[in-house]
Structure formats: C-alpha cells, structure tokens
Short mmCIF file of all heavy atoms in Angstrom, two decimals:
data_model
loop_
_atom_site.label_atom_id
_atom_site.label_comp_id
_atom_site.label_asym_id
_atom_site.label_seq_id
_atom_site.Cartn_x
_atom_site.Cartn_y
_atom_site.Cartn_z
N LEU A 270 -63.80 -6.81 3.86
CA LEU A 270 -63.36 -7.11 5.20
C LEU A 270 -61.93 -6.64 5.37
O LEU A 270 -61.03 -7.22 4.63
CB LEU A 270 -63.50 -8.59 5.50
CG LEU A 270 -63.08 -9.11 6.85
CD1 LEU A 270 -63.80 -8.40 7.98
CD2 LEU A 270 -63.25 -10.62 6.95
N ILE A 271 -61.66 -5.65 6.25
CA ILE A 271 -60.35 -5.11 6.39
C ILE A 271 -59.77 -5.63 7.77
O ILE A 271 -60.37 -5.43 8.80
CB ILE A 271 -60.40 -3.57 6.46
CG1 ILE A 271 -61.09 -3.03 5.20
CG2 ILE A 271 -58.98 -2.95 6.58
CD1 ILE A 271 -61.43 -1.59 5.26
N GLU A 272 -58.67 -6.32 7.69
CA GLU A 272 -58.06 -6.88 8.91
C GLU A 272 -56.64 -6.37 9.10
O GLU A 272 -55.81 -6.58 8.21
CB GLU A 272 -58.06 -8.41 8.80
CG GLU A 272 -57.19 -9.13 9.84
CD GLU A 272 -57.43 -8.68 11.31
OE1 GLU A 272 -58.61 -8.48 11.67
OE2 GLU A 272 -56.48 -8.52 12.05
N PRO A 273 -56.31 -5.66 10.14
CA PRO A 273 -55.03 -5.12 10.38
C PRO A 273 -53.85 -6.12 10.44
O PRO A 273 -52.72 -5.75 10.14
CB PRO A 273 -55.17 -4.38 11.69
CG PRO A 273 -56.58 -4.06 11.78
CD PRO A 273 -57.29 -5.26 11.18
N THR A 274 -54.13 -7.35 10.79
CA THR A 274 -53.09 -8.34 10.91
C THR A 274 -53.07 -9.16 9.60
O THR A 274 -53.63 -8.81 8.59
CB THR A 274 -53.32 -9.31 12.12
OG1 THR A 274 -54.45 -10.16 11.89
CG2 THR A 274 -53.51 -8.48 13.36
N LYS A 275 -52.40 -10.31 9.63
CA LYS A 275 -52.30 -11.24 8.51
C LYS A 275 -53.20 -12.42 8.63
O LYS A 275 -53.07 -13.39 7.82
CB LYS A 275 -50.83 -11.65 8.30
CG LYS A 275 -49.89 -10.53 8.00
CD LYS A 275 -50.15 -9.82 6.73
CE LYS A 275 -49.04 -8.79 6.45
NZ LYS A 275 -49.33 -8.08 5.18
N PHE A 276 -54.11 -12.45 9.61
CA PHE A 276 -54.91 -13.63 9.73
C PHE A 276 -56.30 -13.24 10.19
O PHE A 276 -56.51 -12.16 10.77
CB PHE A 276 -54.33 -14.62 10.75
CG PHE A 276 -54.30 -14.13 12.18
CD1 PHE A 276 -55.33 -14.43 13.08
CD2 PHE A 276 -53.31 -13.30 12.65
CE1 PHE A 276 -55.29 -14.01 14.34
CE2 PHE A 276 -53.23 -12.85 13.93
CZ PHE A 276 -54.27 -13.20 14.83
N LEU A 277 -57.29 -14.11 9.94
CA LEU A 277 -58.66 -13.87 10.33
C LEU A 277 -59.02 -14.65 11.62
O LEU A 277 -58.42 -15.64 11.92
CB LEU A 277 -59.60 -14.37 9.22
CG LEU A 277 -59.55 -13.63 7.91
CD1 LEU A 277 -60.49 -14.25 6.90
CD2 LEU A 277 -59.95 -12.13 8.06
N GLY A 278 -60.04 -14.22 12.30
CA GLY A 278 -60.59 -15.01 13.37
C GLY A 278 -60.30 -14.58 14.78
O GLY A 278 -60.90 -15.06 15.73
N GLY A 279 -59.38 -13.63 14.97
CA GLY A 279 -59.10 -13.17 16.28
C GLY A 279 -58.76 -14.26 17.27
O GLY A 279 -57.88 -15.14 16.99
N LEU A 280 -59.43 -14.25 18.44
CA LEU A 280 -59.13 -15.26 19.45
C LEU A 280 -59.56 -16.68 19.05
O LEU A 280 -58.98 -17.65 19.45
CB LEU A 280 -59.84 -14.93 20.77
CG LEU A 280 -59.02 -14.25 21.86
CD1 LEU A 280 -57.92 -15.19 22.36
CD2 LEU A 280 -58.40 -12.94 21.40
N THR A 281 -60.62 -16.78 18.24
CA THR A 281 -61.10 -18.10 17.83
C THR A 281 -60.02 -18.88 17.09
O THR A 281 -59.96 -20.08 17.22
CB THR A 281 -62.40 -17.96 16.97
OG1 THR A 281 -63.41 -17.32 17.78
CG2 THR A 281 -62.84 -19.32 16.46
N THR A 282 -59.25 -18.22 16.26
CA THR A 282 -58.11 -18.80 15.57
C THR A 282 -56.79 -18.64 16.30
O THR A 282 -55.80 -19.13 15.87
CB THR A 282 -58.00 -18.35 14.15
OG1 THR A 282 -57.73 -16.92 14.14
CG2 THR A 282 -59.30 -18.58 13.36
N GLY A 283 -56.85 -17.87 17.38
CA GLY A 283 -55.64 -17.48 18.10
C GLY A 283 -55.35 -18.24 19.38
O GLY A 283 -54.57 -17.78 20.18
N GLY A 284 -55.97 -19.39 19.56
CA GLY A 284 -55.72 -20.19 20.73
C GLY A 284 -56.89 -20.56 21.59
O GLY A 284 -56.81 -21.51 22.36
N LEU A 285 -57.94 -19.84 21.45
CA LEU A 285 -59.14 -20.05 22.34
C LEU A 285 -60.03 -21.16 21.64
O LEU A 285 -60.98 -20.84 21.01
CB LEU A 285 -59.94 -18.77 22.52
CG LEU A 285 -60.78 -18.69 23.78
CD1 LEU A 285 -61.25 -17.26 24.05
CD2 LEU A 285 -61.98 -19.61 23.70
N GLY A 286 -59.61 -22.40 21.87
CA GLY A 286 -60.31 -23.54 21.28
C GLY A 286 -61.33 -24.09 22.24
O GLY A 286 -62.12 -24.92 21.84
N ALA A 287 -61.26 -23.72 23.50
CA ALA A 287 -62.22 -24.23 24.54
C ALA A 287 -63.33 -23.22 24.60
O ALA A 287 -63.27 -22.30 25.40
CB ALA A 287 -61.53 -24.42 25.83
N THR A 288 -64.33 -23.42 23.77
CA THR A 288 -65.37 -22.38 23.60
C THR A 288 -66.09 -22.10 24.88
O THR A 288 -66.64 -23.00 25.55
CB THR A 288 -66.39 -22.85 22.57
OG1 THR A 288 -65.72 -23.13 21.32
CG2 THR A 288 -67.46 -21.77 22.25
N ASP A 289 -66.07 -20.79 25.27
CA ASP A 289 -66.84 -20.37 26.46
C ASP A 289 -68.23 -19.88 26.05
O ASP A 289 -68.27 -18.92 25.24
CB ASP A 289 -66.10 -19.23 27.20
CG ASP A 289 -64.76 -19.73 27.80
OD1 ASP A 289 -64.74 -20.87 28.29
OD2 ASP A 289 -63.76 -18.99 27.77
N ILE A 290 -69.22 -20.42 26.56
CA ILE A 290 -70.58 -19.93 26.24
C ILE A 290 -71.53 -20.17 27.30
O ILE A 290 -72.44 -19.37 27.56
CB ILE A 290 -71.06 -20.49 24.87
CG1 ILE A 290 -72.46 -19.90 24.52
CG2 ILE A 290 -71.10 -21.99 24.89
CD1 ILE A 290 -72.52 -18.39 24.52
N GLY A 291 -71.50 -21.22 28.06
CA GLY A 291 -72.56 -21.57 28.95
C GLY A 291 -73.56 -22.39 28.23
O GLY A 291 -73.28 -23.49 27.77
N ASN A 292 -74.82 -21.96 28.24
CA ASN A 292 -75.90 -22.67 27.54
C ASN A 292 -75.82 -22.59 26.07
O ASN A 292 -76.06 -21.50 25.49
CB ASN A 292 -77.26 -22.16 28.05
CG ASN A 292 -78.42 -23.05 27.62
OD1 ASN A 292 -78.40 -23.71 26.57
ND2 ASN A 292 -79.48 -23.13 28.45
N LYS A 293 -75.43 -23.62 25.36
CA LYS A 293 -75.23 -23.59 23.89
C LYS A 293 -76.49 -23.39 23.11
O LYS A 293 -76.44 -23.02 21.93
CB LYS A 293 -74.50 -24.89 23.47
CG LYS A 293 -73.05 -25.01 24.02
CD LYS A 293 -72.36 -26.31 23.62
CE LYS A 293 -70.96 -26.42 24.12
NZ LYS A 293 -70.90 -26.46 25.56
N LYS A 294 -77.60 -23.56 23.74
CA LYS A 294 -78.93 -23.34 23.12
C LYS A 294 -79.02 -21.87 22.66
O LYS A 294 -79.82 -21.56 21.76
CB LYS A 294 -80.04 -23.75 24.05
CG LYS A 294 -81.41 -23.64 23.46
CD LYS A 294 -82.52 -24.05 24.40
CE LYS A 294 -83.89 -23.84 23.87
NZ LYS A 294 -84.96 -24.19 24.89
N ALA A 295 -78.25 -20.99 23.25
CA ALA A 295 -78.30 -19.58 22.95
C ALA A 295 -77.71 -19.24 21.66
O ALA A 295 -77.83 -18.09 21.19
CB ALA A 295 -77.70 -18.76 24.11
N ILE A 296 -76.95 -20.12 21.07
CA ILE A 296 -76.16 -19.83 19.88
C ILE A 296 -76.82 -20.37 18.65
O ILE A 296 -77.08 -21.63 18.58
CB ILE A 296 -74.71 -20.41 20.02
CG1 ILE A 296 -74.03 -19.84 21.25
CG2 ILE A 296 -73.87 -20.10 18.77
CD1 ILE A 296 -73.99 -18.33 21.32
N GLY A 297 -77.08 -19.54 17.64
CA GLY A 297 -77.69 -19.98 16.41
C GLY A 297 -76.97 -19.34 15.20
O GLY A 297 -75.89 -18.79 15.30
N GLY A 298 -77.64 -19.47 14.06
CA GLY A 298 -77.15 -18.77 12.85
C GLY A 298 -75.81 -19.16 12.39
O GLY A 298 -75.42 -20.37 12.52
N ILE A 299 -75.05 -18.26 11.80
CA ILE A 299 -73.76 -18.56 11.30
C ILE A 299 -72.82 -19.06 12.37
O ILE A 299 -71.96 -19.91 12.14
CB ILE A 299 -73.14 -17.29 10.60
CG1 ILE A 299 -73.91 -16.99 9.33
CG2 ILE A 299 -71.66 -17.52 10.27
CD1 ILE A 299 -73.49 -15.69 8.67
N SER A 300 -73.00 -18.54 13.58
CA SER A 300 -72.11 -18.95 14.71
C SER A 300 -72.25 -20.47 14.95
O SER A 300 -71.26 -21.17 15.09
CB SER A 300 -72.48 -18.20 16.00
OG SER A 300 -71.69 -18.51 17.08
#
C-alpha cells in the first residue's frame, strides 16, 4: 500500500466523521 502522505484513510480519518451514505443496508463487507 503506497500512500503519498504520512497518514492513512483519506477523508475518513481527515475530518469526515459524519458518515454520508443514505440507506446503511447497502454497506457490507470490510466497510
């Protein structure tokens, strides 16, 4: 895994803590 910055996660670790998805039933697996 090659990451140009010094941290992982992009927006998920970068301040977007209010998860936008709509119907959460659509999300499975590792997510």
